[in-house]
Amino acid sequence: MLIIFGIIAVVIIILVIVAVVLSNKNSGRTPTDEPTDNGGTTTSTDKVITYWGLWEPESVMAPIIADYEAQNPGIKIQYVRKSFAQYEQSVYFQLAEPASPDIVRIHNTWVGKLQDNLSPLPSNIMSSSTYASTFFPIAQKSFTGSDGNLYAIPWEVDGLALYYNKALFAEAGLTEPPKDWDEFTDYAKKLTKTEGGTITQAGAAIGSTNNIRHADEILGLLLLQNNAIITNNDKVDLTDTRFLPTIKFYTDFVKESKVWSDGFDDDLQMFFQGKVGMMFAPSWRVFDIILSNPNVDFALAPVPQIVGNTTPVYHADYWGDAVSKNSKNQTEAWKFVVYLSTPEVMKKLYSNSMTMDSRAFGEPYSRPDVASEISTAPYVGVIMTMAPSFDQLPLLDKTLLKEMLYPIVEKMLSSGSVDSQYLSTISETINQKLALY
C-alpha cells in the first residue's frame, strides 16, 4: 500500500512540473493573428496598444513602430496583421467586446454600422477643421458619423480606376484611354473579337456581377455620376427615375453591345491572360496582375465620365484607422493613429512597402500636401489625379450594396426589366438589415 501511495505522489509531482513548464512555454504568444513583439521589452507600467492591420506585413510596420516607441517611452504597439477573410465580421463583433483591439482598420463605408463601438476623434488631438484641411475631401465624408464626430483617420486613399491593355489598344488602333462613356463604349466594341457569334476577346469587363470583382464599385460609380438617389430619410428608396436606367446602362454592355459575357472567367483572370481590353479596379489589383503575369503591358487611367458633366466624379475604395470605444488607452491610440498620417511617416510606409514587401508602389497618399510627389508615378499617379473628386454612396456598406444591387442586375440580365414591386421587396429587405445597425 505504501508503495502505491509513493507512486501516486511521484506522478502528481511530475504532472505539476509539466503543467508549470507548459504554462511558461505558452506565456509568450506568437501564433498567427496574435500580437507580435516589435522589438524591445514591455514592462508592467507600459501602455500597450493593440493595432489590427490588414495589408502591411510586420516588416513594413516594425520600423515605424520602433521609431514611435523610441519617441514615446512607456508606449508599446503590438501590431497584428489580420487575414482579410472574415475580417469585417471579426471587427464588428470584437469591437463590442471589453477586450477589443485598441486600433482597427475600417473600410470607408463601415462607420455607420461600427459607430456605436468606436471612439470619436478628440478635438484636442485633431480638430475637424484641421482634419478637413489635411486630407482629401472624401475622408471627412467617409468617416464622419451620424452625430457629426469623426471616427477614423486614413493614411492612404484609393478608388476605382480604368485598367487597359496597351498591346490590345495598339492592335485596335487606339492610342489613349477613353475619357467619357461614349468613347468607352466605342473602344469596347473595337476591342471585341468574335468567332461564329462567340466572343473570343472581350472589349471590356462590365455588365454582369458573377465574374466582375468590383461590380459593386462600378455600379456605385455610375449611380453617383448619374446622380441617382438611392436613399431617403436614412432608408433605401429605389424609386428615383434615374436608378433603373443606370442599371440598364450597365447590363447593356452584355445584352446589347455584347462586349462582355457573364459566362466568362472573372475579369481579373481574363485581364492578365490578355483576353479583355479594359477592366475596373482599385490600384492594389496591380499587384495581382504583376504577380500573375508580369509580361502584361497595361496602364491605369481615370474612369470615364458622363458626356457634358463639367465636374468629374470618381468612386472611392480605401481604409482608415479607428479606435475602439472599449480601449483603455484611447488618447494614446489616437495619437499613434495621427502619427501614421503625418507626411514623414506616410512616405516611410510608402518606401517600406516597395523595399521590404517588393511592391510596385506603396499606399497612395491621403494628403494633398504630399500627393504631388507621386502624381506622375506609374499606376498610383492616376489615383492622385482622381483623389480630389472621390465620392461614395451614402448609408450602405459594401456588403449591403452588393446584396441590394446584384439581384437587380441579375434580374435585368435574365428578363430585361425590373418591376417596382421587385425593387420594393429589395428595399424592404435592406432596410430591415440597416435597422439592426
Side-chain angles (χ1 to χ4, degrees):
M1 183 66 70
L2 290 175
I3 294 174
I4 293 174
F5 283 136
I7 293 173
I8 292 173
V10 170
V11 170
I12 291 173
I13 292 171
I14 292 172
L15 289 175
V16 170
I17 292 172
V18 169
V20 171
V21 170
L22 288 176
S23 176
N24 289 337
K25 180 179 180 182
N26 290 332
S27 64
R29 299 183 300 173
T30 56
T32 303
D33 252 17
E34 290 289 341
T36 54
D37 184 10
N38 295 295
T41 58
T42 302
T43 69
S44 59
T45 59
D46 286 336
K47 292 182 177 180
V48 180
I49 309 295
T50 302
Y51 175 23
W52 278 14
L54 270 175
W55 316 118
E56 281 66 39
E58 188 184 353
S59 60
V60 170
M61 298 301 300
I64 305 298
I65 291 172
D67 287 347
Y68 186 79
E69 291 177 345
Q71 297 168 28
N72 296 271
I75 301 295
K76 299 294 291 185
I77 309 295
Q78 289 185 329
Y79 178 70
V80 187
R81 186 185 185 185
K82 302 293 288 184
S83 167
F84 184 66
Q86 305 301 314
Y87 179 75
E88 183 176 356
Q89 293 89 336
S90 295
V91 168
Y92 183 78
F93 290 110
Q94 285 298 313
L95 282 176
E97 297 295 326
S100 68
D102 298 281
I103 303 170
V104 293
R105 299 217 83 189
I106 67 171
H107 191 258
N108 62 293
T109 62
W110 290 0
V111 165
K113 67 180 178 183
L114 298 180
Q115 178 181 322
D116 289 346
N117 290 312
L118 295 177
S119 162
L121 172 61
S123 59
N124 63 327
I125 292 179
M126 180 178 283
S127 67
S128 59
S129 59
T130 299
Y131 190 101
S133 63
T134 299
F135 305 106
F136 285 111
I138 187 60
Q140 194 155 31
K141 182 169 187 176
S142 300
F143 297 126
T144 297
S146 58
D147 58 1
N149 286 313
L150 290 160
Y151 283 95
I153 290 179
W155 47 269
E156 58 99 8
V157 73
D158 205 348
L160 204 64
L162 175 68
Y163 286 56
Y164 63 99
N165 185 307
K166 295 167 72 174
L168 297 186
F169 262 53
E171 184 181 302
L174 305 173
T175 58
E176 60 183 15
K179 295 180 178 60
D180 57 57
W181 287 106
D182 286 355
E183 280 190 351
F184 176 86
T185 303
D186 180 53
Y187 282 26
K189 291 177 180 178
K190 289 179 179 179
L191 288 161
T192 302
K193 294 181 180 180
T194 61
E195 288 184 10
T198 299
I199 301 174
T200 57
Q201 177 179 293
I206 185 172
S208 59
T209 57
N210 64 301
N211 55 358
I212 296 180
R213 299 199 182 197
H214 299 277
D216 60 309
E217 294 163 53
I218 305 171
L219 288 161
L221 169 70
L222 292 170
L223 290 168
L224 286 168
Q225 290 183 341
N226 281 291
N227 197 28
I229 308 301
I230 63 169
T231 59
N232 183 26
N233 292 325
D234 293 331
K235 291 185 177 181
V236 167
D237 182 348
L238 302 180
T239 58
D240 190 306
T241 57
R242 290 162 290 196
F243 177 74
L244 280 180
T246 301
I247 302 298
K248 186 176 185 302
F249 175 81
Y250 180 80
T251 57
D252 275 353
F253 285 101
V254 169
K255 293 181 67 68
E256 301 296 332
S257 302
K258 300 185 186 304
V259 300
W260 180 253
S261 168
D262 56 2
F264 286 147
D265 291 335
D266 79 54
D267 56 346
L268 185 62
Q269 293 183 53
M270 292 280 287
F271 193 85
F272 68 63
Q273 291 170 2
K275 295 181 179 179
V276 61
M278 295 180 285
M279 64 170 253
F280 296 91
S283 69
W284 55 268
R285 285 294 182 194
V286 167
F287 309 141
D288 295 332
I289 296 170
I290 292 175
L291 181 64
S292 299
N293 186 356
N295 296 318
V296 175
D297 188 13
F298 71 101
L300 274 59
V303 294
Q305 300 296 298
I306 292 177
V307 176
N309 279 10
T310 56
T311 303
V313 176
Y314 303 112
H315 189 277
D317 178 22
Y318 68 108
W319 300 77
D321 288 338
V323 174
S324 169
K325 183 181 70 175
N326 290 324
S327 169
K328 295 179 176 61
N329 299 300
Q330 292 179 30
T331 298
E332 290 76 13
W334 272 120
K335 287 179 179 179
F336 179 65
V337 170
V338 170
Y339 173 78
L340 292 176
S341 70
T342 58
E344 296 77 13
V345 175
M346 278 188 186
K347 293 176 189 178
K348 288 179 182 177
L349 286 164
Y350 188 95
S351 175
N352 289 356
S353 293
M354 297 178 71
T355 58
M356 298 175 183
D357 198 28
S358 301
R359 295 182 184 177
F361 53 88
E363 299 279 17
Y365 300 145
S366 61
R367 301 175 59 120
D369 57 353
V370 289
S372 62
E373 298 187 20
I374 56 172
S375 62
T376 60
Y379 311 123
V380 74
V382 168
I383 304 301
M384 295 296 90
T385 297
M386 296 189 291
S389 301
F390 274 145
D391 202 354
Q392 67 185 67
L393 292 171
L395 198 61
L396 299 175
D397 60 59
K398 281 178 68 67
T399 301
L400 285 183
L401 187 65
K402 290 178 181 180
E403 289 183 21
M404 182 182 79
L405 294 178
Y406 284 15
I408 298 171
V409 169
E410 293 305 315
K411 189 167 181 61
M412 185 74 78
L413 285 171
S414 61
S415 63
S417 64
V418 178
D419 59 42
S420 59
Q421 182 57 49
Y422 187 80
L423 293 181
S424 178
T425 300
I426 292 286
S427 298
E428 183 178 349
T429 300
I430 299 302
N431 283 327
Q432 288 174 352
K433 294 186 177 183
L434 278 173
L436 299 176
Y437 295 164

